[in-house]
Every structure is written in C-alpha cells, then in structure tokens.
Amino acid sequence: LLSNRRGWGGFAKKLHNALNLAGREQRFRLHCLDSRNHGDSPHTDYHCLQTICEDLQWYMEENEIKAPILIGHSMGGKAVLLHGLLHGHYCPSRAHSFGPRCIVALDAAPCKYDTSHQYMFEAMEKLNLKAVQNRLDAERQLRKIMDYAAERAYVMANLDVDEVSGDACWIPNLDVLKRDEKNVHEWPLQDPGAEFHGPTLFIGGNMSTRLTTTRHLEAIDAHFKKCMVVMVEGGHFVHHAAQYDTIEHIVDFLTECLNLSDVEGISYWKSQRPTLLV
C-alpha cells in the first residue's frame, strides 16, 4: 500500500542479475508491476486484494505468461498468496493453467492485520501542493508533519513534481486507497481448506510484526503445503533493510525449486524462460 514499482527498481535489478548468474545459461524475464491505484496503473473506484488478483490474472493471460514466479511485499505479498490459493499451482497438463509455479511473500502472511496507514494519508492531505516547486519544498513541509525520516521518504516516493513547471501531484489514488485501506488489511478467503501446493517462501523482518505470531504461522501451515519461513534483520521493508540477505534467500530458494544447479533443470528452463512477476 502506497508503494510503486519505482521502489522495487534497485532491488529488482539486483535480484534479476543474481538469478541470471545462478542460472548460468538460463535468463529470467522480469515484469515489475504497479497495483491498481498506484504508480502508472489506472485509478479505479474500488480497491481490494481480490481486484488486484484479477488484474494480475488479466496481465498474465494478456501476455501469455505461464508458470510465473510471483513475488510481492506487504499488500503485494498478500495478493500473490491469495492468487496462488485461488488459481492453484501451475499444472503443465492443464491447457489453461495460469497459476504460479512458486511464490515469494515478503513480510506478509495470509491473515488479517490490525494496522493502519491513515496517519500517512492525513500527512499527504495536509501537504500544500500549490506551495511545492520542487521535492525539497515538499520535504520541508513533511518535516513539520512527520517525525521519522523513513516514513517521509516512503510518502515522498508517491509525489510527482514536474521538473519544468514545478507542478506537484500525488501519484496514487489517495481518496480510494484511504477509504478502502481496510480491504487490504483483511484476509478475504474464508475457505479453511484452500491450499497451494507449489513451493512458497516467506521472508519476514525480525523487528516487524507480520510473521512473528503463532496465528501467522498457523495460517501459513494451513494453506501452503510446501513452505519455508525465514527471518532477516530489519523491519517491514525487508527488501531494503536486509537487501542482500533477502536476495540470497530468494536465489537459494528458486535455485532449488527450478533445479538450476542441475544440468537437466538448466536445459529445461532454458526453453521455458521463467518469468518473475514483482
């Protein structure tokens, strides 16, 4: 929530390069996507995890992507987990199988969360965009509203300032996201028997609260039958706070899942061109 693919840029490139090195002759395709109401994606009048899954499914079918590796953080992490449970593990024998081959969820679990970004929305609403001529102007205003530099940087990533005119605007659809935030923190799937049988990696921050309770781990075990949970140093933004450790865990996980250390595995995937959807 309140993030976009710009925030994935450096991490995604490093992960892509690391996977290509691990796969030797294999080359991965990387698609870095914005969720609806974020970044360059369309603004709509409703926002929830189910619609994000529908958008993801449309994108996969439109681009004829089969057996992707889905990677998501926070809201995106919950969305890729939900997608896996709704569409199932990729099955080569099914002609119209668009389910993921494997999933990586960063600091996210298939649970309801009691968190809120309302203070961030309120800070963004208080910012006087007419008084902003450059990003430094916006930063000065935010310092009077928000105490923590990391939170200010998170908010600033959603601000677009035209370098020529100096006109400033918010990139995400703030009104809809503020109203529908509760939909993102809920867990919409009520089927206790829903299962995903593909390999799934959960990476959590040891100073975060998203993967640290018995409730989280029980939900993971109930729905994801081939899962691994690892913790890294840091808070919620594991792909920034522990970037290299996170990349190492993902590369090791996918190397095993895709048999990249095996000659036959490399030969098979060389013809398949595995796709990362981030």
Side-chain angles (χ1 to χ4, degrees), residues 8 11 15 19 69 71 104 106 201 203 230 239 244-256 276:
W8 280 100
F11 175 86
L15 174 61
L19 283 169
I69 300 153
I71 304 177
V104 178
L106 304 183
L201 173 63
I203 303 178
V230 297
H239 52 310
Y244 290 102
D245 286 343
T246 300
I247 288 173
E248 184 177 11
H249 283 303
I250 295 174
V251 170
D252 289 346
F253 171 73
L254 294 180
T255 297
E256 181 176 350
L276 296 167

